[in-house]
Amino acid sequence: MSILVNKFTRVLVQGITGKEGSFHATQCKAYGTQVVAGVTPGKAGQEVEGIPVFNTVRDAVQKTQCDTSLIFVPPAFAADAILEAADAGIRLIVCITEGIPVNDMVRVKRALRDRDVRLIGPNCPGIITADECKIGIMPGFIHKKGRVGVISRSGTLTYEAVNQLTTLGLGETTCIGIGGDPIIGTGYVDLLAMFEKDPETEAVVMIGEIGGDAEEKAAAFIKQDIRKPVIGFIAGITAPPGRRMGHAGAIITGGKGMAAEKMAVLEDAGVIVVRNTAEIGKTAQDALSPRGSV
Amino acid sequence: MNIHEFQAKQLFAQFGIPVPIGREIKTLLAAEKWAAKLNAPVYVVKAQIHAGGRGKAGGVKLTKNGAEVPALAKELLGRTLVTHQTGPKGRKVRRLLIEEGAGIAKELYLSLLLDRDSGWPVFIASTEGGMEIEEVAAKSPEKVLKEPIDPAVGYQGYNGRNLAYGLGLPALEPTIMGPFITMLGNLYRLFMEKNASLIEINPLVITQDKKLMALDGKVSIDDNALFKHPDFQAMRDLHEEEPLEIEATNNNLNYVKLDGNIGCMVNGAGLAMATMDVIKLAGSEPANFLDVGGGATKETVAAGFRILLKDRNVKGIFINIFGGIVRCERIAHGVIESAKEVAIKIPVVVRLQGTNAEEGRKLLQESGLKIEAATDLWEAAQKIVALTGKKRKKVEATAS
């Protein structure tokens, strides 16, 4: 088991003929993902590594029964692409694009609210179920099927954590990058709930950072509803207030969103908070060891 | 992107939000001429820097005598203003806003920003104008009103009425209700059309002659949306930005200058922050945040090096790369080439992990350069701290 995606997931890549789109579509396919279609308006009839290209998502859905979309469309057109996928009946949309205007996402998030569709991202590395299905830009080889679920607002920092889990032999079930933007499709809470129900996931690593109050919301939920061990890491204890640290959403404003505060709230909710980036894997290992045998 | 108060007020005026008559002034001569033309009962001379707290720091002057305006302008122009938001170095005042003063009957607070959780824009309003809203929220949260706006339909009259009655406007000044409700609609239009991420009016005043007026204005624009508004390019004030940060932006690097002594270069924003944190944990302080991005190349690494070395506080460099799509041996090549080019004399520790990390480390070890290659993050951090010397935060003033 895993959450959201597995070897049966049928993937469409929007923006497949672009440089990023074609490279990553090929990489995902090589990982074993069923990449069944691509969309670039005006390029129907072409193929990318044997993947048929369509003009519209509607056509792609009709011809290939794809159910999940991976988006590499440039920022100015990404909102359109997400809405097109939702309208064509795609159930899971993974948007990699960085730099989408926030107000575009305001409209998109509102439009998706009443639909039976889930958006992951934008500005994220994607989602991967180890050894089954990679829908994103993460390096596949660091993942290994195993016991830990990973949820993160970051990219390379997630790879760092995953690599530690794999090296220690723990492995992962599903890893999701939820995105570094202020407005994202899916937050920690929904995914924590899914991991709690997934029989193969024994613990969850959640990687947060400064800015917003998503970790605080997650903490409240964990306190109430999560029984499995949760290992938390928050990046940005040294980040100054009022400055955007790379990610559009990583900014301390009006004294809110500080790392120390988030760590304290998570700890209060029973999350095992790691201070040292290098010890995320080790902490997960300790949490999964039977009592007294550490 | 932040803009100046006078620019924010120009936007307000364009969208029908009432502001005092005023003008941006850069010279004493212009100040004198404008004062004569303005011919107001009260003149307000305001320093224009991208930071709050100007009033308390002496950056706002008032006079009833137009002839005194040039003297007040002289006091402010060229002066370095230190407020709680500028840091100890302060900001040099290069522009003023000189405007007509208003007779104030009541000060209110009003802002419009995005609620990240719901994804809806939300108005924040309070009767405690002139104070910092965080302070009001901490002391008397019941005085902070919130009105979320459904982006599917936009601002509606009832949103305005909720706030107007919530603030007790009918008791304060009944004739202000209509203009207030209209003004909120205009603010919402400005927010959406110009891709603002924050609009703050503090104070929004009711004048003695019963009019609404935005006495101050702060507007931040969503950087991701700047491509939609080429006109904002002209509003950018490079004097308000750190020179090294401008150079980084021009090289497509994401850089934020800090006060420590270990320069760091990392691929990915989250890992870059985590790397700063691990430096602190190992006993030192990071000199900067620097994300060379997912597509790091030889060129970006070289540009990163140049920027790090221009910061005179930097006594050691820590490079932390997790190779995914980016291959570590390519990064190693970039490090070696640029290290030779700029003749680096300070310690450098390079930690490579992920795709082709082994190859990359080998290249570094065989390069003949004094670069330490590492695999383990914690070991690498301890190594650079040991080589650089601990806790030498703020050893010298930053060159600017």
Side-chain angles (χ1 to χ4, degrees):
Chain A
M1 283 283 286
S2 55
I3 68 168
L4 289 168
V5 299
N6 58 34
K7 59 188 172 197
F8 303 110
T9 304
R10 295 175 68 78
V11 179
L12 154 74
V13 176
Q14 286 175 264
I16 193 166
T17 56
K19 187 170 158 247
E20 297 266 304
S22 59
F23 176 78
H24 289 292
T26 309
Q27 294 279 315
C28 290
K29 199 178 168 191
Y31 191 79
T33 309
Q34 291 199 54
V35 184
V36 298
V39 163
T40 300
K43 301 277 173 78
Q46 293 187 8
E47 281 192 355
V48 172
E49 290 287 315
I51 305 159
V53 180
F54 300 90
N55 280 332
T56 64
V57 178
R58 186 174 294 165
D59 285 349
V61 170
Q62 270 172 7
K63 303 275 165 49
T64 69
Q65 287 80 51
C66 51
D67 51 25
T68 295
S69 175
L70 173 59
I71 297 181
F72 289 101
V73 171
F77 314 106
D80 182 342
I82 296 171
L83 293 172
E84 182 186 0
D87 201 43
I90 292 286
R91 68 165 186 102
L92 179 69
I93 302 169
V94 182
C95 185
I96 307 298
T97 310
E98 176 174 8
I100 303 176
V102 178
N103 283 353
D104 285 7
M105 284 310 301
V106 167
R107 286 188 298 114
V108 167
K109 184 154 178 150
R110 180 63 178 86
L112 297 188
R113 194 177 77 170
D114 304 322
R115 286 174 182 272
D116 186 21
V117 58
R118 176 173 298 286
L119 172 67
I120 305 280
N123 190 12
C124 77
I127 173 168
I128 180 168
T129 289
D131 298 340
E132 286 193 38
C133 175
K134 165 175 127 94
I135 306 175
I137 60 172
M138 63 291 277
F141 74 93
I142 57 171
H143 298 81
K144 187 99 188 78
K145 193 173 249 333
R147 308 156 70 186
V148 184
V150 180
I151 313 170
S152 171
R153 277 169 71 183
S154 176
T156 46
L157 179 55
T158 318
Y159 313 160
E160 175 75 45
V162 165
N163 191 53
Q164 291 175 24
L165 294 170
T166 298
T167 308
L168 289 169
L170 296 173
E172 308 83 36
T173 51
T174 302
C175 306
I176 307 110
I178 59 175
D181 275 0
I183 297 188
I184 51 173
T186 303
Y188 294 111
V189 170
D190 288 3
L191 298 168
L192 282 163
M194 289 179 212
F195 277 132
E196 179 75 7
K197 280 191 209 135
D198 175 43
E200 277 180 13
T201 302
E202 295 171 44
V204 180
V205 167
M206 64 174 273
I207 298 173
E209 61 190 26
I210 56 160
D213 64 353
E215 289 80 10
E216 286 83 342
K217 293 253 156 65
F221 179 73
I222 291 166
K223 205 172 187 172
Q224 284 287 317
D225 294 296
I226 303 293
R227 294 289 147 79
K228 293 179 181 174
V230 180
I231 295 92
F233 178 82
I234 304 290
I237 196 96
T238 53
R243 301 302 312 270
R244 212 168 284 285
M245 307 302 279
H247 292 151
I251 181 167
I252 298 167
T253 44
K256 289 277 166 62
M258 286 186 288
E261 204 177 295
K262 289 176 185 292
M263 289 178 186
V265 176
L266 285 170
E267 236 155 31
D268 181 58
V271 173
I272 309 160
V273 175
V274 195
R275 254 80 186 174
N276 187 340
T277 321
E279 288 173 3
I280 297 172
K282 177 75 172 51
T283 310
Q285 190 176 42
D286 292 348
L288 285 173
S289 301
R291 221 173 278 260
S293 71
V294 182
Chain B
M1 184 181 114
N2 291 322
I3 60 176
H4 283 296
E5 177 195 359
F6 75 89
Q7 293 161 330
K9 284 180 169 169
Q10 285 165 3
L11 282 176
F12 289 171
Q14 274 176 40
F15 280 80
I17 297 151
V19 292
I21 301 166
R23 184 175 282 184
E24 175 205 10
I25 296 294
K26 290 178 179 170
T27 66
L28 298 182
L29 186 65
E32 193 180 335
K33 280 188 181 167
W34 173 239
K37 194 173 173 196
L38 187 59
N39 191 23
V42 180
Y43 300 83
V44 187
V45 182
K46 305 180 87 175
Q48 299 293 290
I49 55 169
H50 287 183
R54 293 169 299 165
K56 279 182 194 152
V60 179
K61 310 277 182 194
L62 280 115
T63 179
K64 287 181 178 170
N65 181 356
E68 284 177 8
V69 168
L72 295 177
K74 194 176 175 188
E75 246 183 83
L76 288 176
L77 275 174
R79 183 173 145 192
T80 298
L81 215 55
V82 179
T83 83
H84 68 288
Q85 287 185 3
T86 60
K89 277 192 291 176
R91 289 271 172 79
K92 191 171 172 183
V93 180
R94 295 164 198 270
R95 308 166 184 226
L96 304 171
L97 169 61
I98 299 180
E99 61 183 21
E100 183 176 10
I104 300 170
K106 174 70 190 166
E107 292 185 299
L108 304 169
Y109 173 93
L110 183 67
S111 65
L112 179 54
L113 47 82
L114 190 70
D115 176 60
R116 289 168 60 152
D117 196 43
S118 64
W120 287 23
V122 55
F123 276 103
I124 313 266
S126 171
T127 50
E128 308 302 291
M131 285 172 67
E132 290 211 25
I133 194 69
E134 291 86 11
E135 220 173 285
V136 181
K139 281 185 195 153
S140 27
E142 75 287 352
K143 288 187 175 160
V144 179
L145 307 178
K146 292 185 182 174
E147 182 69 18
I149 309 298
D150 182 345
V153 291
Y155 174 82
Q156 302 295 315
Y158 77 86
N159 296 126
R161 292 194 296 277
N162 282 347
L163 283 175
Y165 287 111
L167 289 169
L169 285 193
L172 283 172
E173 180 47 62
T175 59
I176 220 80
M177 285 283 287
F180 179 79
I181 290 165
T182 307
M183 193 195 78
L184 293 185
N186 291 336
L187 261 181
Y188 184 79
R189 215 160 39 82
L190 164 58
F191 187 87
M192 295 307 282
E193 281 179 26
K194 294 292 179 184
N195 288 86
S197 48
L198 169 75
I199 302 176
E200 187 178 53
I201 303 176
N202 189 20
L204 169 69
V205 301
I206 303 171
T207 61
Q208 282 156 358
D209 52 359
K210 300 173 183 177
K211 290 202 172 89
L212 271 175
M213 193 161 280
L215 275 207
D216 201 353
K218 182 182 174 184
V219 174
S220 301
I221 307 294
D222 173 13
D223 292 323
N224 286 352
L226 289 177
F227 72 89
K228 293 187 181 184
H229 309 283
D231 47 319
F232 281 133
Q233 201 49 43
M235 290 197 183
R236 191 171 165 200
D237 185 349
L238 294 178
H239 291 301
E240 295 288 329
E241 298 175 32
E242 177 70 39
L244 288 179
E245 291 178 11
I246 297 168
E247 188 179 338
T249 310
N250 293 339
N251 283 290
N252 289 320
L253 297 173
N254 225 320
Y255 172 88
V256 177
K257 194 175 166 339
L258 303 169
D259 293 329
N261 62 348
I262 296 183
C264 30
M265 181 165 17
V266 187
N267 67 329
L271 190 59
M273 268 189 279
T275 305
M276 286 159 43
D277 297 350
V278 93
I279 288 171
K280 180 159 178 104
L281 211 59
S284 199
E285 296 281 345
N288 62 279
F289 166 94
L290 173 57
D291 171 15
V292 293
T297 61
K298 248 172 28 192
E299 288 72 29
T300 49
V301 171
F305 256 119
R306 283 198 300 275
I307 289 162
L308 292 186
L309 290 169
K310 276 185 191 166
D311 176 355
R312 285 207 267 145
N313 290 345
V314 167
K315 302 292 183 236
I317 292 179
F318 184 27
I319 300 177
N320 185 14
I321 301 291
F322 199 103
I325 306 313
V326 174
R327 302 204 309 260
C328 286
E329 97 277 3
R330 276 220 220 150
I331 299 287
H333 271 303
V335 170
I336 292 165
E337 274 182 38
S338 39
K340 282 181 180 162
E341 220 169 88
V342 294
I344 293 172
K345 295 184 189 73
I346 55 174
V348 178
V349 172
V350 182
R351 184 259 179 163
L352 298 173
Q353 184 59 270
T355 312
N356 296 358
E358 197 54 52
E359 267 180 82
R361 279 193 294 275
K362 220 170 145 200
L363 281 170
L364 289 171
Q365 278 154 1
E366 291 167 357
S367 68
L369 292 163
K370 273 186 68 183
I371 294 176
E372 300 259 0
T375 320
D376 184 80
L377 175 59
W378 180 233
E379 255 173 50
Q382 285 175 310
K383 199 177 266 180
I384 189 63
V385 169
L387 289 171
T388 311
K390 286 190 180 185
K391 298 203 175 172
R392 290 170 54 198
K393 194 180 177 184
K394 291 176 192 167
V395 276
E396 56 186 272
T398 322
S400 56

